[in-house]
Amino acid sequence: MSARSDERRRLPVVIGALVLVLVALAAVILTRGGDGDGVARQAATCDRLGGKITGSSDARGYCDVPRAPGTVETVVLRGDGGLDVGDLRRRRAACAADPDRVRRTALVRARTRTVDSYVALSWRAPGVCRGRETRVTGAERVRFRQARLLDRARVALTAGRADDALADARAADDLASTTATRASVSRARRAVRRTSGPGSGSSGTQLVSPAEYLGLSCAEIGHAFRVAPGADPPHDPDGDGQACVGQ
């Protein structure tokens, strides 16, 4: 009787131990299964974005998505495969600001070379910033060309080449007259008058009398020359003293 009593007392203990072992095994299996499911969901989300997983864990994943030629955008994923809210907000704000930065960069590039296109960025569902090649419009091309001419005019003015500065400033103003182009023309005109006026000591084009070219067109004269401002409308229509320029 005592042996049977001992067996009966040990039986609950054995059953309890088995239950604990089974619970522990279930927890391990579920945890591992959860990790696998999370990684799989992150990979599926990254695949929908057209990207590539670069890191993944139960808590967070990282997906590199093509943004523009040669560049990628790193998207942060939650453990359940969704997009991280904080990262989404930061990337969207950066994408909204990028178009202005890209256009400014194109303007700077246009001062030294011709720019026909640039990468325009825009926000796309479900939450990535995409770039596409965009052709420069006619209005932008004018602005780019003006920027180059105005930059050249500033350089020429600094170097003491007032006539060259005036020619570039006028060319920019001819494309589309703006406050900046008109100011550039005025600065260049003042510099020309200072270097070509009486007592300036300039060795450049000398001031001549309109009577010297009376009845001749600029094409017939064949060169530029200086006259007193406003003294020779046929050869100097705008009265700045620079005759026959651009003809």
Side-chain angles (χ1 to χ4, degrees), residues 153 157 161-167 169-170 182-195:
L157 205 57
R161 295 182 285 105
D163 287 338
D164 292 340
L166 182 58
R170 278 177 166 169
R182 290 191 294 271
S184 182
V185 169
S186 296
R187 285 192 297 269
R189 281 176 175 169
R190 289 195 297 269
V192 168
R193 290 178 183 135
R194 285 195 301 270
T195 58

Coordinates of all heavy atoms in Angstrom, one line a residue, residues 153 157 161-167 169-170 182-195:
A153 N 29.1 88.3 -66.8 CA 29.2 89.8 -66.7 C 29.8 90.2 -65.4 O 30.6 91.2 -65.4 CB 27.8 90.4 -66.8
L157 N 33.3 92.3 -65.2 CA 33.3 93.6 -64.5 C 34.4 93.7 -63.5 O 35.1 94.7 -63.3 CB 31.9 93.9 -63.9 CG 31.5 95.3 -63.6 CD1 31.5 96.1 -64.9 CD2 30.1 95.4 -63.0
R161 N 36.9 94.5 -67.6 CA 36.4 94.4 -69.0 C 35.0 94.9 -69.0 O 34.1 94.1 -69.2 CB 36.6 93.0 -69.5 CG 38.1 92.6 -69.6 CD 38.2 91.2 -70.1 NE 37.8 90.1 -69.2 CZ 36.7 89.4 -69.3 NH1 35.9 89.6 -70.2 NH2 36.5 88.5 -68.4
A162 N 34.8 96.2 -68.9 CA 33.5 96.8 -68.9 C 32.6 96.5 -70.1 O 31.4 96.2 -70.1 CB 33.5 98.3 -68.6
D163 N 33.3 96.6 -71.3 CA 32.5 96.4 -72.5 C 32.0 94.9 -72.6 O 30.9 94.7 -73.1 CB 33.4 96.7 -73.8 CG 33.7 98.2 -73.9 OD1 32.8 98.9 -73.4 OD2 34.7 98.5 -74.6
D164 N 32.9 94.0 -72.2 CA 32.4 92.6 -72.2 C 31.3 92.4 -71.2 O 30.3 91.6 -71.5 CB 33.6 91.6 -71.9 CG 34.7 91.6 -73.0 OD1 34.3 92.0 -74.1 OD2 35.8 91.2 -72.7
A165 N 31.4 93.0 -70.1 CA 30.4 92.9 -69.1 C 29.0 93.4 -69.6 O 28.0 92.8 -69.4 CB 30.8 93.6 -67.8
L166 N 29.1 94.5 -70.3 CA 27.9 95.1 -70.8 C 27.3 94.2 -71.9 O 26.0 94.1 -71.9 CB 28.2 96.5 -71.4 CG 27.0 97.3 -72.0 CD1 25.9 97.5 -70.9 CD2 27.4 98.6 -72.5
A167 N 28.1 93.7 -72.7 CA 27.6 92.8 -73.8 C 26.9 91.6 -73.2 O 25.8 91.2 -73.6 CB 28.7 92.3 -74.7
A169 N 25.6 91.3 -70.1 CA 24.4 91.8 -69.3 C 23.3 92.0 -70.3 O 22.1 91.7 -70.0 CB 24.8 93.0 -68.5
R170 N 23.6 92.7 -71.4 CA 22.5 92.9 -72.4 C 21.9 91.7 -73.0 O 20.7 91.6 -73.2 CB 23.1 93.8 -73.5 CG 23.2 95.3 -73.2 CD 23.8 96.0 -74.3 NE 23.7 97.4 -74.2 CZ 24.3 98.3 -75.0 NH1 25.2 97.9 -75.8 NH2 24.1 99.6 -74.9
R182 N 18.5 94.0 -65.5 CA 18.5 95.4 -65.6 C 19.6 96.0 -64.7 O 20.3 97.0 -65.1 CB 17.2 96.0 -65.4 CG 16.1 95.7 -66.4 CD 14.9 96.5 -66.3 NE 14.1 96.2 -65.0 CZ 13.2 95.3 -64.9 NH1 12.9 94.5 -66.0 NH2 12.6 95.1 -63.8
A183 N 19.7 95.5 -63.5 CA 20.7 96.0 -62.6 C 22.1 95.7 -63.1 O 23.0 96.5 -63.0 CB 20.6 95.4 -61.2
S184 N 22.3 94.5 -63.8 CA 23.6 94.2 -64.3 C 24.0 95.1 -65.5 O 25.1 95.5 -65.6 CB 23.6 92.7 -64.8 OG 24.8 92.3 -65.3
V185 N 23.0 95.4 -66.3 CA 23.2 96.3 -67.5 C 23.6 97.7 -66.9 O 24.5 98.3 -67.4 CB 22.0 96.4 -68.3 CG1 22.1 97.6 -69.3 CG2 21.7 95.1 -69.1
S186 N 22.9 98.2 -65.9 CA 23.2 99.5 -65.3 C 24.6 99.6 -64.8 O 25.4 100.5 -65.0 CB 22.2 99.9 -64.3 OG 20.9 100.0 -64.8
R187 N 25.0 98.5 -64.0 CA 26.4 98.5 -63.5 C 27.4 98.5 -64.6 O 28.4 99.2 -64.5 CB 26.6 97.3 -62.6 CG 25.9 97.3 -61.3 CD 26.3 96.2 -60.3 NE 26.0 94.9 -60.9 CZ 24.9 94.3 -60.6 NH1 23.9 94.8 -59.8 NH2 24.6 93.1 -61.1
A188 N 27.2 97.7 -65.6 CA 28.1 97.7 -66.7 C 28.2 99.0 -67.5 O 29.3 99.5 -67.9 CB 27.8 96.5 -67.7
R189 N 27.1 99.7 -67.7 CA 27.1 101.0 -68.3 C 27.9 102.0 -67.6 O 28.6 102.8 -68.1 CB 25.6 101.4 -68.5 CG 24.9 100.8 -69.7 CD 23.5 101.3 -69.7 NE 22.7 100.8 -70.9 CZ 21.4 100.9 -71.0 NH1 20.7 101.5 -70.1 NH2 20.9 100.4 -72.1
R190 N 27.7 102.0 -66.3 CA 28.4 103.0 -65.4 C 29.9 102.7 -65.5 O 30.7 103.6 -65.6 CB 28.0 102.9 -64.0 CG 26.6 103.5 -63.8 CD 26.3 103.7 -62.3 NE 26.3 102.4 -61.5 CZ 25.2 101.7 -61.3 NH1 24.1 102.1 -61.8 NH2 25.3 100.6 -60.6
A191 N 30.3 101.4 -65.6 CA 31.7 101.1 -65.7 C 32.3 101.5 -67.0 O 33.4 102.0 -67.1 CB 31.9 99.6 -65.5
V192 N 31.5 101.3 -68.1 CA 31.9 101.8 -69.4 C 32.2 103.3 -69.5 O 33.1 103.7 -70.0 CB 30.9 101.3 -70.5 CG1 31.2 102.0 -71.8 CG2 30.9 99.8 -70.7
R193 N 31.2 104.0 -68.9 CA 31.4 105.5 -68.9 C 32.6 105.9 -68.1 O 33.3 106.9 -68.5 CB 30.1 106.1 -68.3 CG 28.9 106.0 -69.2 CD 27.6 106.6 -68.6 NE 26.5 106.4 -69.4 CZ 25.3 106.0 -69.0 NH1 25.1 105.7 -67.7 NH2 24.3 105.8 -69.8
R194 N 32.9 105.3 -67.0 CA 34.0 105.6 -66.2 C 35.3 105.4 -67.0 O 36.3 106.1 -66.9 CB 34.1 104.8 -64.9 CG 33.0 105.3 -63.9 CD 33.4 104.7 -62.5 NE 33.4 103.3 -62.5 CZ 32.3 102.5 -62.2 NH1 31.2 103.1 -62.0 NH2 32.4 101.2 -62.2
T195 N 35.4 104.3 -67.7 CA 36.6 103.9 -68.4 C 36.8 104.6 -69.7 O 37.9 104.6 -70.3 CB 36.7 102.4 -68.6 OG1 35.5 102.0 -69.4 CG2 36.7 101.6 -67.3

